[in-house]
Amino acid sequence: MEQPRRITDSFPRRRRRGPGRPPGRLKDKKDKDKVQLKVRDCPRAPSQPPPDPALMEMLRRFDLSWEYGPCTGITRLQRWERAQELGLSPPGPIRDALLEHRDNPDVTYRWGRDGV
C-alpha cells in the first residue's frame, strides 16, 4: 500500500547547516568587506533635535483617541485627513504640528504601543 503524500513532499529538500558554520555568517572575509562597503555608502538621515515633550504628549493623545479611527498602517497626517473627510472634527493644532514637523519621523509616525 502506498504512503499518503505530505505537503512537504512538493518542496525541494534543503541541506541543513553543518556544525562548523553557524547561521548568518559569511563565507570569507572578502564578502564581509563588500557588505561593510555597502553599509558605509548609504546616506544617513540628518539628525534632528528631539521634538518638544508637550507636542509628543498631544500626539500621543491623538493616537490613543479611537474617535478618529484606527491608526495602524498610516501616518498621523493621513489619519487626521481621513477623520476630517469623515466629518469627525479632528483637532486643528494636530494638523498644524504635523505639517510643521513634516520631516521628523518621530512626529510623522506613531511608534510603539503607547503612542510614541
Side-chain angles (χ1 to χ4, degrees):
M1 186 165 182
E2 188 176 315
Q3 287 187 334
R5 288 186 46 129
R6 298 182 193 161
I7 193 166
T8 55
D9 293 339
S10 59
F11 296 102
R13 290 186 177 236
R14 296 182 63 177
R15 290 184 4 181
R16 294 186 180 179
R17 296 183 189 274
R21 186 166 172 226
R25 298 289 174 124
L26 298 173
K27 286 185 177 181
D28 42 353
K29 189 175 178 171
K30 188 170 94 175
D31 293 338
K32 189 175 182 180
D33 292 338
K34 285 181 185 178
V35 171
Q36 287 178 351
L37 283 177
K38 288 180 184 178
V39 171
R40 287 184 194 143
D41 293 341
C42 295
R44 290 189 174 175
S47 61
Q48 298 176 352
D52 181 33
L55 168 67
M56 297 310 290
E57 178 62 24
M58 181 175 66
L59 292 172
R60 187 182 74 79
R61 286 187 193 150
F62 177 68
D63 291 339
L64 296 176
S65 178
W66 281 100
E67 64 186 284
Y68 306 117
C71 56
T72 56
I74 59 175
T75 65
R76 287 175 168 147
L77 185 59
Q78 289 172 332
R79 182 174 182 238
W80 190 95
E81 290 171 346
R82 182 189 60 198
Q84 181 69 25
E85 289 174 5
L86 295 173
L88 301 176
S89 304
I94 296 287
R95 183 177 185 272
D96 297 338
L98 293 173
L99 291 175
E100 182 182 336
H101 299 281
R102 177 172 258 163
D103 297 331
N104 190 341
D106 292 335
V107 174
T108 306
Y109 300 100
R110 178 178 183 261
W111 301 102
R113 186 178 75 230
D114 52 24
V116 181

